Amino acid sequence: MPVPESLSLSQARRITLAAQGFTDPAPGGVPTMRHLRRVLGRIGLLQIDSVNVLQRAHYLPLYSRLGPYPTDLLDRAAYRRPRELFEYWGHEASLIPLDLHPALRWRMARGHAWGGVGRIAAEQPQLVAWVRDEVHANGPLTAAEIEHDAPRQTGNWGWNWTAVKTALEHLFWAGEVTAASRTTSFARRYDVPERVLPAAVLDAATPSTADAHRRLVAVAARALGVAAEPELRDYFRLPVAGARTAVAELVEAGELRPVRVQGWRQPAYLHADARLPRWARVNTLISPFDPLIWERGRTERLFDLAYRIEIYVPAPQRVHGYYVLPFLQGERFTARVDLKADRKAGVLLIPAAWGEPGADPVGTALALAAELRRLAGWLGLSAVAPPARGDLAGPLTAALAASPVGVP
């Protein structure tokens, strides 16, 4: 369907959902590595986060687009040979396709954005050199395996890290060490890039900073479909000047086209390969760390969803809950649910369920109940508990009760 010069919000939403992989055909059977590569080709990277109240953040965007899939697919792509992803700072800590390694070397050459990590090389160069040598001689190693009797530096380095952990994060940022794998407790095992990444990746030419910014903005533009400049910049957390120059150059090259989007005050840019599907048949939960909703201002303008993650908000001040996932139904968000996996009891808990303004509570609850059962099954949980609170708690309780107990 041709894309006009001026877009309604519905058209912009459908373009976005197509660009993010939500309108691709569902796998005909158990998803394979081919399906995983297709999603990564759409979204460009996966954000990592340590919170595990439901499921690790990097697994959830694939579930949202593919449905229940073997998480071992992602583990293989990220941490086993032939490796297809590497850990680095993309949006935040991320799993990123190997071919973007050269485009991120400008960041490796810069000092770390966090003060403590940025200071340690200047303040304790001998420690940094010792840590580097330890990894080179004995890696892969966790920070705990290197620390030995190193004293904690509480309050000096941030995040209550030891000096050794801070040195490792400095070396990780600089590209001098990388993540070989993760422990069951999600701690990084550090090793030197030569033992982890393919030689072809390490030997690839390093682009100029301007070329790298242009490549990353192009990836972001393809992944978002249509977006304003701040969102194109935010996708890989690029500097303002570099991103703006890259956008202008991509417009001149014809890869981006300026368009107007209904209700947007900022200029918007449409990727040359963006598609406008006639509809979006989606019923899925979206992680707080999904690239679809990374930029909260865009999420509100595009979907009329005012979403904030409340993990770091004191419990009495939370509005919707600790780990809240919005529910995408069609091209709109119709609900949000606070979820927790009680793995010991085998139950998906719903501390709260909330409907979005204008959504039909009964229809939303029925669709959401089916999705919650699907999610629980993927997580290996045998039942879904009724929601404890929220304005959608009644309809959702009824919808869950109307279906067979447990997870099909």
Side-chain angles (χ1 to χ4, degrees):
M1 185 175 176
V3 181
E5 297 288 335
S6 183
L7 302 174
S8 68
L9 276 176
S10 176
Q11 289 172 325
R13 284 193 292 265
R14 282 179 277 141
I15 288 170
T16 294
L17 292 172
Q20 284 276 304
F22 287 100
T23 62
D24 288 341
V30 177
T32 66
M33 192 64 77
R34 177 175 63 85
H35 298 104
L36 180 143
R37 292 184 186 119
R38 185 185 73 190
V39 173
L40 287 168
R42 294 285 191 202
I43 64 178
L45 73 167
L46 295 165
Q47 186 175 345
I48 298 169
D49 190 83
S50 61
V51 175
N52 195 28
V53 67
L54 181 70
Q55 173 62 291
R56 299 286 186 197
H58 54 294
Y59 294 117
L60 284 165
L62 293 165
Y63 166 83
S64 297
R65 291 157 178 81
L66 298 175
Y69 75 98
T71 56
D72 184 65
L73 285 179
L74 182 54
D75 296 336
R76 282 163 45 199
Y79 301 116
R80 298 177 207 159
R81 294 179 180 175
R83 184 182 301 254
E84 301 187 28
L85 305 169
F86 73 106
E87 280 196 34
Y88 191 60
W89 292 95
H91 180 73
E92 293 284 340
S94 304
L95 285 168
I96 306 169
L98 286 172
D99 65 353
L100 288 181
H101 188 278
L104 289 162
R105 291 177 191 160
W106 64 272
R107 178 166 286 158
M108 297 175 188
R110 290 190 173 191
H112 200 289
W114 298 347
V117 179
R119 291 197 319 268
I120 197 164
E123 296 181 6
Q124 298 198 37
Q126 291 179 325
L127 173 66
V128 172
W130 176 79
V131 169
R132 184 190 300 112
D133 291 344
E134 282 287 298
V135 174
H136 191 276
N138 302 305
L141 295 166
T142 65
E145 290 169 329
I146 300 174
E147 281 163 356
H148 306 303
D149 296 323
R152 294 196 68 81
Q153 304 291 320
T154 305
N156 290 336
W157 306 112
W159 294 90
N160 200 31
W161 283 351
T162 66
V164 166
K165 172 63 175 174
T166 306
L168 281 166
E169 287 303 308
H170 162 76
L171 293 167
F172 180 82
W173 178 277
E176 295 184 56
V177 303
T178 191
S181 62
R182 291 272 184 167
T183 68
T184 55
S185 62
F186 208 56
R188 275 196 191 114
R189 290 190 180 97
Y190 299 87
D191 207 344
V192 292
E194 294 77 13
R195 289 198 291 258
V196 175
L197 305 180
V201 171
L202 297 176
D203 294 341
T206 300
S208 69
T209 300
D211 286 347
H213 288 167
R214 191 161 51 250
R215 172 80 190 282
L216 296 172
V217 168
V219 171
R222 183 184 295 275
L224 293 172
V226 61
E229 180 272 324
E231 295 121 41
L232 296 173
R233 172 178 12 118
D234 177 74
Y235 212 78
F236 283 94
R237 298 292 167 88
L238 300 174
V240 175
R244 287 179 177 169
T245 299
V247 168
E249 291 172 348
L250 290 167
V251 169
E252 186 176 357
E255 193 164 346
L256 295 183
R257 173 159 62 94
V259 293
R260 296 182 300 278
V261 177
Q262 174 191 350
W264 289 20
R265 287 181 292 179
Q266 298 166 306
Y269 299 92
L270 180 79
H271 192 271
D273 295 336
R275 296 181 298 111
L276 175 53
R278 294 184 182 278
W279 50 71
R281 296 190 176 100
V282 186
N283 282 283
T284 194
L285 288 158
I286 302 296
S287 158
F289 302 100
D290 194 293
L292 179 67
I293 59 171
W294 272 344
E295 218 291 325
R296 307 306 195 202
R298 179 177 190 268
T299 301
E300 191 162 357
R301 291 199 322 275
L302 188 59
F303 294 103
D304 196 25
L305 179 75
Y307 179 75
R308 301 292 182 271
I309 191 165
E310 298 180 84
I311 288 173
Y312 304 110
V313 175
Q317 298 173 27
R318 291 181 194 134
V319 176
H320 296 105
Y322 179 80
Y323 200 78
V324 175
L325 282 73
F327 179 53
L328 182 63
Q329 189 177 10
E331 64 181 63
R332 301 296 300 268
F333 287 101
T334 59
R336 62 184 87 192
V337 280
D338 187 18
L339 297 178
K340 180 178 182 179
D342 185 339
R343 297 174 180 87
K344 187 173 182 180
V347 177
L348 179 62
L349 302 176
I350 311 174
W354 309 90
E356 291 300 304
D360 167 35
V362 174
T364 296
L366 289 170
L368 179 56
E371 168 60 6
L372 289 166
R373 291 192 295 271
R374 184 178 77 146
L375 174 67
W378 177 60
L379 294 173
L381 306 173
S382 58
V384 181
R389 68 184 185 100
D391 59 15
L392 196 63
L396 183 55
T397 297
L400 289 167
S403 61
V405 176
V407 182

